[in-house]
Amino acid sequence: MSAMPLPPIRDTQPRPVAPVEGLAPGTAQDWLGWAARELEAHSDSAQADAEVLLAALLQTPRSQLRGALEQPLSAALVLRYAAQVERRRQGEPVAYLSGRQGFWTLDLQVDNGVLIPRPDTETLVEWALQWARDLAAPRLLDLGTGSGAIALALADGLRQRTPAVWATDVSPAALRIARDNARELQLPVEFREGSWFEALESGVSPFDLIVSNPPYVAADDPHLPDLRYEPRLALTAGVDGLDAIRDILCDAATWLKPGGLLLLEHGCDQAAAVRALLNQTGFAGVQTRRDLGGRERVSGGLRP
Ligand code: GLN
């Protein structure tokens, strides 16, 4: 496995740095222990967080961190580590601090311009792959691709079927990350900038499969403060959280081949509403699948 690239230091603003007792010399192991203790009261994955942050700083895969723990940590690295630990203490997600997040079989670059890919979304990927596996040269579209997680997982999973994978996003910052990920993973995806289907030029052929993890959180959801580091654009969609899904449903049928499948991720309390919207829009065989936690998280239907 190649070394992870050093995450760019994006915070040019001074931020509070935890007291680092006179920068006493210490090994990476000492600082790892210190960081885990610092994070204990703030994260239920303190040890893992401390390891991921240190591994990213040392440009070492986390699985090989153990081999690097005997060496002393330079003052410059200690300062950077302490600053990251402090940001983690304040609640910033590890993925944004390390600049990486695992999703499906992929290791993705992320920054705060994209939603952090979540294991919940693997339910959608699994369903999409099962369905598309029988098609030769399937045409796939991921709407609101963010980091590119879903589009890239599908491109990777269907490699043998020579798929044509398209992905859109309204955010240029998100598309930059998605394109970087595609380049790093050497997976071909046609990226287009624009809102949902508006990003596609006329003349683009219809798709066998359209998928999306759109924003679906209600604008006044009490959990939003927990998601404050992530782009609001990727999270909220009107008073009931269903505005984006309604927008997608307006045009989805015209971009699907007859018999094509539409899959939408949604919140665990939105399944009945999304199934009703799919049925009203004329989709057939409407179904919902549950995530690993047993919650109804993805609904889909076929274009008759
Ligand atoms: N699943 C995310 C959350 O609630 C929301 C993602 C989304 O809106 N697409 O943490």
Side-chain angles (χ1 to χ4, degrees), residues 115-116 118 120-121 212-217 221 223 227 230 232-237 241 265-267 297:
L115 194 80
I116 300 167
R118 290 161 165 70
D120 318 35
T121 305
S212 185
N213 172 17
Y216 52 71
V217 178
D221 189 289
H223 298 105
L227 306 171
E230 296 185 84
R232 192 52 74 94
L233 183 68
L235 288 167
T236 61
E265 180 173 322
H266 48 68
R297 294 304 305 281

Side-chain angles (χ1 to χ4, degrees), residues 115 142-146 150 168-170 195-196 212-219 224 227 231-248 264-267 270 274 297:
L115 194 80
D142 175 23
L143 297 166
T145 195
I150 299 174
T168 74
D169 206 290
V170 73
S195 177
W196 310 129
S212 185
N213 172 17
Y216 52 71
V217 178
L224 279 171
L227 306 171
R232 192 52 74 94
L233 183 68
L235 288 167
T236 61
V239 288
D240 61 358
L242 293 171
D243 280 4
I245 288 178
R246 285 190 201 93
D247 285 349
I248 290 171
L264 299 167
E265 180 173 322
H266 48 68
Q270 294 171 324
V274 174
R297 294 304 305 281

Side-chain angles (χ1 to χ4, degrees), residues 79-93:
L79 278 175
R80 286 187 63 187
Y81 193 39
Q84 294 222 318
V85 168
E86 176 57 20
R87 285 166 62 179
R88 181 69 195 121
R89 269 167 53 104
Q90 307 285 333
E92 193 162 341

Side-chain angles (χ1 to χ4, degrees), residues 65-300:
L65 187 59
R66 197 152 297 279
L69 289 179
E70 298 301 310
Q71 59 178 275
L73 213 54
S74 72
L77 280 180
V78 168
L79 278 175
R80 286 187 63 187
Y81 193 39
Q84 294 222 318
V85 168
E86 176 57 20
R87 285 166 62 179
R88 181 69 195 121
R89 269 167 53 104
Q90 307 285 333
E92 193 162 341
V94 174
Y96 289 152
L97 293 169
S98 67
R100 311 294 304 184
Q101 175 70 27
F103 177 77
W104 195 246
T105 54
L106 311 174
D107 177 41
L108 297 170
Q109 182 188 144
V110 294
D111 73 10
N112 60 9
V114 298
L115 194 80
I116 300 167
R118 290 161 165 70
D120 318 35
T121 305
E122 295 178 352
T123 303
L124 183 154
V125 170
E126 206 169 6
W127 188 348
L129 287 176
Q130 274 172 7
W131 190 80
R133 203 165 281 151
D134 298 331
L135 306 175
R139 291 182 53 76
L140 319 173
L141 171 63
D142 175 23
L143 297 166
T145 195
S147 63
I150 299 174
L152 294 165
L154 297 181
D156 190 41
L158 295 168
R159 221 184 252 275
Q160 314 300 336
R161 321 283 329 162
T162 53
V165 183
W166 292 62
T168 74
D169 206 290
V170 73
S171 156
L175 280 182
R176 266 197 302 279
I177 295 286
R179 285 194 169 106
D180 277 358
N181 278 320
R183 206 170 302 128
E184 230 178 85
L185 295 163
Q186 297 183 20
L187 291 167
V189 174
E190 291 286 340
F191 291 105
R192 292 291 184 276
E193 184 184 322
S195 177
W196 310 129
F197 298 100
E198 283 168 26
L200 301 176
E201 56 269 28
S202 60
V204 173
S205 311
F207 295 90
D208 295 289
L209 174 66
I210 300 178
V211 297
S212 185
N213 172 17
Y216 52 71
V217 178
D220 64 350
D221 189 289
H223 298 105
L224 279 171
D226 298 338
L227 306 171
R228 66 191 178 281
Y229 287 93
E230 296 185 84
R232 192 52 74 94
L233 183 68
L235 288 167
T236 61
V239 288
D240 61 358
L242 293 171
D243 280 4
I245 288 178
R246 285 190 201 93
D247 285 349
I248 290 171
L249 280 168
C250 272
D251 297 316
T254 62
W255 286 98
L256 273 175
K257 295 182 191 172
L261 178 68
L262 173 67
L263 294 180
L264 299 167
E265 180 173 322
H266 48 68
C268 54
D269 54 354
Q270 294 171 324
V274 174
R275 282 194 302 268
L277 288 169
L278 281 159
N279 281 314
Q280 281 161 29
T281 321
F283 280 85
V286 171
Q287 288 178 34
T288 296
R289 286 209 189 173
R290 295 172 189 268
D291 66 13
L292 289 176
R295 292 166 300 234
E296 294 192 309
R297 294 304 305 281
V298 185
S299 294

